[in-house]
Amino acid sequence: MAILAGIDLLGKFYAGDDTIGQVGQRFTSFIRKYLQPLSPGDEDVLYQLRNSLLHSFGLYSSARAQTYHFMLTGKGGVPFIQQPRTTFYQVDLIVLHERFERAIVSYVNDLEADPNLQTKFLTMFPNYGAIEIT
């Protein structure tokens, strides 16, 4: 859940936008840019995994007449996302974690070099960039 919420947050910084109703676009855009290599449609599978865990606290999601049942594994080294049956998807959490860590480094490198990304980041930073602990 934390990794998927982290991708969600980085998607806001990457897009420079937190408009309601655009979370799917932000999330999948960040994934397409920074979690490669992916197979076609994997970004949608990860978005539905995010929805299933962050909204339903389970491993089921439904969107646009498509059903997603998730199985999670921690084997590492196996394919990141597999579809063993029609509506079932297996996601390797070890690979997700590794790709998330690499995505952070790649995003920071791009952020340091791209003034447009810096502007987007700074637009979101006042609302999402820090948590005050007293």
Side-chain angles (χ1 to χ4, degrees), residues 34-52:
Y34 293 106
L35 266 71
Q36 293 297 329
L38 294 170
S39 297
D42 281 356
E43 65 275 6
D44 295 323
V45 172
L46 290 173
Y47 180 63
Q48 292 306 318
L49 177 60
R50 169 224 180 260
N51 291 345
S52 74

Side-chain angles (χ1 to χ4, degrees), residues 63-81:
R64 296 181 302 270
Q66 184 165 350
T67 301
Y68 298 80
H69 294 92
F70 292 100
M71 300 173 289
L72 305 177
T73 185
K75 297 177 183 177
V78 300
F80 180 23
I81 298 171

Side-chain angles (χ1 to χ4, degrees), residues 56-69:
S56 301
F57 308 103
L59 294 173
Y60 165 81
S61 183
S62 180
R64 296 181 302 270
Q66 184 165 350
T67 301
Y68 298 80
H69 294 92

Side-chain angles (χ1 to χ4, degrees), residues 68-116:
Y68 298 80
H69 294 92
F70 292 100
M71 300 173 289
L72 305 177
T73 185
K75 297 177 183 177
V78 300
F80 180 23
I81 298 171
Q82 298 179 64
Q83 187 177 5
R85 296 192 311 265
T86 304
T87 64
F88 286 78
Y89 298 86
Q90 180 175 303
V91 178
D92 191 293
L93 298 179
I94 301 298
V95 177
L96 176 62
H97 180 243
E98 290 169 351
R99 291 199 187 180
F100 178 63
E101 293 291 333
R102 285 196 322 251
I104 293 168
V105 172
S106 294
Y107 173 66
V108 168
N109 289 337
D110 288 352
L111 185 61
E112 290 173 346
D114 185 339
N116 184 45

